[in-house]
Amino acid sequence: LALGLALACPEAQDDHRAEVASSVAQTVLDDLGEANQAAEALRSGLEGFCAAPDAGTLAQAQAAWMQLRGPWKRLLALPFGPIVDEGYASAIDFWPARPSSIEGGLASGASSQAELDALGVASKGMPAIEYLLWDPQLGDAAILELYLAAEGPQRCAHVELLAADVALRLDELDAAWRDPGGFAEQLEQAGSSEAFPTLALAIDELLNAMIAGLHELDDPKLGAPLGESVGAPQPDLVESRFSDRSLLDIRDGLDGFERAYFGSEAGGEDAPGLSLVVASESAAVDQRVRDALEAARAAVEAVPEPLRTAIVEAPEQVAAAREAVHQLRVVLTVEVASLLGVTVSLSDNDGD
């Protein structure tokens, strides 16, 4: 009888799905707003550093870059919509960082947005700024020496131009979500919007984005640096290896997943996440997602800092973290997708 009622009244489930789609849209808008503010703070920090390069102003610029990474990595936990479709993920955060390309961009002498636009994505974005602000081997003194040398003004002008470009791209991404008819409105009106004529399609795309975001963490960001496919650590594949923010990047990615699954920090019924839909179908499956997320967090926390040395000195812990994040992805790919009738576009074997 219960099954018959559920089949006869799908709108009850659809109501939850509409709430979740709208809530996720607002969560993304919140992160975009925070990212845009942080990008402006980075620009300001670099201007202050270049006006008076010293240990204090360098630390302020570095802190501003670190601050921007948080909301940005949460946004990348949901790789769907304009961030992928319009290429903003690569434009802002091309990975892995290529020092030769970054140095080539610096040597190009680009002095305007138009000239910077002509350069490849590997020469700019947040990783390029990171490379120009940190030296994990020689430390901040070596960075300061470069900016105080005869070529320092050119270096400063270039890093400021890179920061302006990141701020511009984030502003464009924000507009692609926030403007009338933008992606946020499409999600908020899922079931009748052009992009999402049915609520099922919105939930399908959301779940697939969450799975893809986890795949980025377990395979490229943990498995690849560990060198699982080649049998030796690959330090050049460690994300944020110059600033040693690698593990915090991963934790921020898990935060982004958690916000989509459980809802925003406001929480509760006013800002639900996908958990509301999953739990209404199966409390057991919802609990398995919760348990897998807790295990993934614990495993990542157990990896000693920094990741660039952990892949050599503590590979077992890195492998355990990779496997824990992978198992969280498996729960979504197998159990949640089956429960919600979602077709998974990323195979569990992709990238493994």
Side-chain angles (χ1 to χ4, degrees):
L1 178 59
L3 177 60
L5 289 173
L7 292 174
C9 303
E11 65 273 10
Q13 185 186 62
D14 285 350
D15 284 344
H16 286 319
R17 296 184 181 210
E19 293 169 31
V20 169
S22 180
S23 176
V24 168
Q26 186 56 56
T27 296
V28 171
L29 290 177
D30 290 345
D31 283 336
L32 279 168
E34 184 179 336
N36 271 276
Q37 289 181 350
E40 289 303 321
L42 175 58
R43 289 184 66 181
S44 177
L46 284 168
E47 288 174 2
F49 168 61
C50 287
D54 60 28
T57 54
L58 175 59
Q60 290 172 1
Q62 290 171 335
W65 185 91
M66 289 277 196
Q67 192 67 30
L68 174 54
R69 292 297 279 180
W72 173 247
K73 298 310 289 187
R74 294 198 301 269
L75 286 165
L76 285 183
L78 292 177
F80 72 144
I83 198 168
V84 172
D85 297 341
E86 298 180 27
Y88 287 106
S90 294
I92 294 171
D93 197 15
F94 179 85
W95 174 91
R98 297 177 183 171
S100 61
S101 296
I102 298 168
E103 290 286 356
L106 176 62
S108 74
S111 60
S112 68
Q113 185 63 51
E115 291 174 346
L116 192 65
D117 287 345
L119 301 180
V121 293
S123 64
K124 49 194 175 182
M126 292 193 70
I129 298 172
E130 179 199 17
Y131 171 80
L132 294 169
L133 289 180
W134 275 275
D135 186 324
Q137 275 74 45
L138 300 178
D140 289 349
I143 293 294
L144 278 173
E145 185 176 344
L146 291 171
Y147 284 94
L148 292 171
E151 300 80 12
Q154 178 190 348
R155 200 175 191 88
C156 260
H158 188 70
V159 76
E160 288 186 83
L161 185 60
L162 292 176
D165 180 64
V166 167
L168 174 63
R169 301 309 166 200
L170 281 168
D171 187 63
E172 291 173 347
L173 178 58
D174 186 274
W177 271 82
R178 200 180 301 272
D179 284 356
F183 202 72
E185 184 176 297
Q186 297 292 317
L187 264 182
E188 290 165 347
Q189 297 180 7
S192 61
S193 65
E194 181 179 355
F196 303 108
T198 67
L199 285 165
L201 185 59
I203 296 302
D204 185 288
E205 188 154 346
L206 173 59
L207 180 58
N208 270 289
M210 295 169 74
I211 291 169
L214 290 173
H215 172 263
E216 279 296 303
L217 297 183
D218 77 56
D219 189 40
K221 305 304 168 64
L222 286 168
L226 194 58
E228 292 179 327
S229 62
V230 296
Q234 303 293 305
D236 288 350
L237 298 184
V238 174
E239 184 177 39
S240 299
R241 65 186 185 272
F242 309 112
S243 63
D244 281 333
R245 199 188 188 279
S246 318
L247 290 168
L248 183 52
D249 277 359
I250 292 170
R251 293 195 293 271
D252 284 331
L254 289 175
D255 284 346
F257 170 85
E258 182 173 338
R259 285 160 68 88
Y261 190 76
F262 293 118
S264 69
E265 292 178 352
E269 296 179 357
D270 294 334
L274 189 62
S275 173
L276 180 64
V277 175
V278 175
S280 69
E281 293 293 309
S282 172
V285 171
D286 179 62
Q287 187 60 52
R288 282 194 282 278
V289 176
R290 293 169 181 267
D291 292 345
L293 175 58
E294 183 178 352
R297 283 197 174 281
V300 172
E301 289 285 352
V303 178
E305 295 277 6
L307 182 59
R308 63 183 170 85
T309 58
I311 58 175
V312 176
E313 299 171 1
E316 297 84 1
Q317 287 99 316
V318 179
R322 192 264 190 205
E323 180 60 22
V325 177
H326 176 74
Q327 288 305 315
L328 173 59
R329 175 160 66 97
V330 168
V331 174
L332 264 71
T333 302
V334 177
E335 299 193 53
V336 175
S338 176
L339 183 71
L340 302 183
V342 168
T343 299
V344 177
S345 57
L346 178 71
S347 166
D348 185 50
N349 291 321
D350 287 346
D352 293 348

